């Protein structure tokens, strides 16, 4: 298979390209810069997709499959225009395209946000609308029988530079205070879905091989937050106490939800967002998506966290000083 990966140096794109090379395919990665490395065995074309002729170097080639991870509608529209001769187009979208994140267990037929009218997503505030516009461009430009839309949920596993899946096993393995206490939000029933980047990439490559069409929620299995924390403690060998804090107390002390500085990753307190990590993945699993146990994902992520240094700057979680101060305050 001649596979064109529009991306390939960042986390998911790199893993897709790496696995595709490993399966014997001829892989070409198109990137503007290098946010990481191109996998050994893959070819690299440097190009700016914001340029109207940015894909000119690869447009004359016949591709068996194209995989696109862009969030910019203009980039996707130009790719659909210029790569129309490709046999198959797989667009990696997001569950953020859905209009309502409150209900649990929604499938792919749930209502979507209106597509972004602009060709440029200026801020992450319109990420869902931008991805919806990208989906629309692919489906309308190529036809549903020649493409697939993978609506991806929270990705985890080794290489998680966003820090959301690595924080909990890392913190349980490296507590901030001497007695091993770790601060957790009081949200035991909160749904959490994590799909291992390796499982997602394997499924995407296989779908390019068999040219599977349709729309799929590519998410992990749903666990409760309590179950997720229990697995993270187990893989870390944590024996300390859990200091549990309610949402009101955490908000009052400046702790953020989900991700970012001074946050407790994966935590959400707004009931209107409870369903974001509780979407049905039945259609994808029926189509061959295989998920490894959560314990394996978190164990491997912990190994990666420690191999890259637990003191590295984080994009999610509490610093040791922040957590220690909060534990002292909580009592």
């Amino acid at each position: 298979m001649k596979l064109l990966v529009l991306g390939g140096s960042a986390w998911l794109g790199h893993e897709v390209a790496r696995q595709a090379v490993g399966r014997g395919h001829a892989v070409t990665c198109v990137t503007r810069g290098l946010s990481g490395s191109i996998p050994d065995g893959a070819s690299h074309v440097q190009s700016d997709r914001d340029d109207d002729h940015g894909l000119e170097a690869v447009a004359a080639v016949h591709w068996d499959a194209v995989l696109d991870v862009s969030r910019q509608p203009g980039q996707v529209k130009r790719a659909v225009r210029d790569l129309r001769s490709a046999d198959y187009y797989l667009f990696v979208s997001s569950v953020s395209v859905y209009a309502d994140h409150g209900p649990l267990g929604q499938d792919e037929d749930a209502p979507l946000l209106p597509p972004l009218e602009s060709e440029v997503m200026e801020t992450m505030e319109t990420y869902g609308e931008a991805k919806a516009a990208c989906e629309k461009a692919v489906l309308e430009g190529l036809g549903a029988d020649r493409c697939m839309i993978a609506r991806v949920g929270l990705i985890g596993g080794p290489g998680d530079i966003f820090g959301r899946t690595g924080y909990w096993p890392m913190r349980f393995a490296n507590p901030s205070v001497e007695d091993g206490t770790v601060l957790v939000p009081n949200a035991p029933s909160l749904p959490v879905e994590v799909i291992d980047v390796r499982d997602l990439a394997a499924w995407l490559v296989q779908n390019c091989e068999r040219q599977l069409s349709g729309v799929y929620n590519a998410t992990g299995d749903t666990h409760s937050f309590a179950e997720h924390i229990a697995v993270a403690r187990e893989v870390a060998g944590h024996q300390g106490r859990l200091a549990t804090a309610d949402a009101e107390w955490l908000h009052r002390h400046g702790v953020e939800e989900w991700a970012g500085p001074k946050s407790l990753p994966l935590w959400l307190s707004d009931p209107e967002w409870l369903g974001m990590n509780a979407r049905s993945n039945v259609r994808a699993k029926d189509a061959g998506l295989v998920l490894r146990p959560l314990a394996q994902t978190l164990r491997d992520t912990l190994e990666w966290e420690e191999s890259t240094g637990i003191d590295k700057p984080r994009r999610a979680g509490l610093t040791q000083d922040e957590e220690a101060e909060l534990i002292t305050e909580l009592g």
Side-chain angles (χ1 to χ4, degrees):
M1 180 173 68
K2 291 183 68 173
L3 172 64
L4 180 65
V5 178
L6 299 178
S9 62
W11 190 27
L12 175 60
H14 182 278
E15 183 64 17
V16 166
R18 187 190 69 81
Q19 292 199 30
V21 168
R23 290 173 70 88
H25 300 304
V27 180
T28 299
C29 300
V30 177
T31 68
R32 176 164 50 191
L34 286 177
S35 54
S37 60
I38 299 298
D40 291 341
S43 301
H44 178 227
V45 173
Q46 190 166 3
S47 176
D48 186 351
R49 292 183 63 187
D50 288 333
D51 186 330
D52 189 55
H53 302 289
L55 294 178
E56 190 173 43
V58 294
V61 179
H62 177 78
W63 301 99
D64 296 305
V66 176
L67 184 138
D68 192 354
V69 299
S70 179
R71 64 184 63 172
Q72 296 292 354
Q75 291 183 357
V76 175
K77 290 176 183 178
R78 288 186 289 274
V80 168
R81 178 197 69 191
D82 295 342
L83 302 171
R84 192 174 299 276
S85 64
D87 291 340
Y88 177 76
Y89 201 103
L90 197 161
F91 181 68
V92 179
S93 188
S94 166
V95 295
S96 295
V97 299
Y98 291 110
D100 189 351
H101 295 284
L104 307 182
Q106 290 190 103
D107 64 14
E108 292 83 352
D109 297 325
L112 305 183
L113 291 167
L116 186 69
E117 294 184 3
S118 172
E119 292 198 345
V120 178
M121 183 196 79
E122 300 285 356
T123 72
M124 289 299 292
E125 296 297 318
T126 57
Y127 177 72
E129 291 87 347
K131 280 290 196 180
C134 295
E135 289 189 12
K136 184 172 182 286
V138 172
L139 290 167
E140 291 185 354
L142 298 173
D145 60 332
R146 290 177 58 200
C147 62
M148 175 184 144
I149 306 296
R151 293 176 182 153
V152 177
L154 176 65
I155 304 175
D160 182 4
I161 59 173
F162 303 101
R164 290 171 296 198
T165 56
Y167 175 79
W168 290 109
M170 181 279 297
R171 179 57 70 225
F172 284 123
N174 302 274
S176 300
V177 294
E178 288 187 8
D179 68 358
T181 299
V182 172
L183 179 68
V184 298
N186 184 18
S189 61
L190 173 70
V192 178
E193 283 180 338
V194 175
I195 185 166
D196 193 295
V197 66
R198 297 164 293 183
D199 299 336
L200 174 59
W203 187 63
L204 295 177
V205 172
Q206 289 163 17
N207 291 335
C208 287
E209 292 170 347
R210 57 184 177 159
Q211 300 194 355
L212 178 71
S213 62
V215 179
Y216 301 85
N217 288 336
T219 67
D221 288 329
T222 306
H223 297 86
S224 70
F225 189 78
E227 291 170 336
H228 189 97
I229 289 298
V231 173
R233 293 184 74 194
E234 178 185 354
V235 302
H238 181 252
Q239 300 294 325
R241 181 175 69 92
L242 296 183
T244 305
D246 292 332
E248 182 181 356
W249 188 92
L250 291 169
H251 288 146
R252 194 166 66 247
H253 287 79
V255 179
E256 300 294 332
E257 302 179 24
W258 186 245
K262 200 177 180 181
S263 68
L264 286 176
L266 311 183
W267 168 52
L268 293 167
S269 66
D270 187 343
E272 293 186 3
W273 286 92
L274 293 185
M276 184 177 73
N277 291 301
R279 295 200 173 272
S280 171
N281 63 3
V282 171
R283 187 184 296 182
K285 292 177 78 171
D286 287 346
L289 175 63
V290 177
L291 303 171
R292 71 192 65 206
L294 178 62
Q296 183 180 349
T297 295
L298 295 187
R299 183 177 294 109
D300 292 349
T301 308
L302 174 59
E303 290 181 5
W304 175 82
E305 285 276 357
E306 295 187 328
S307 70
T308 55
I310 62 169
D311 294 326
K312 62 181 176 291
R314 301 193 63 83
R315 297 169 70 173
L318 301 173
T319 66
Q320 285 193 327
D321 289 344
E322 288 169 344
E323 188 190 30
E325 183 178 339
L326 289 165
I327 290 173
T328 300
E329 182 75 17
L330 186 62

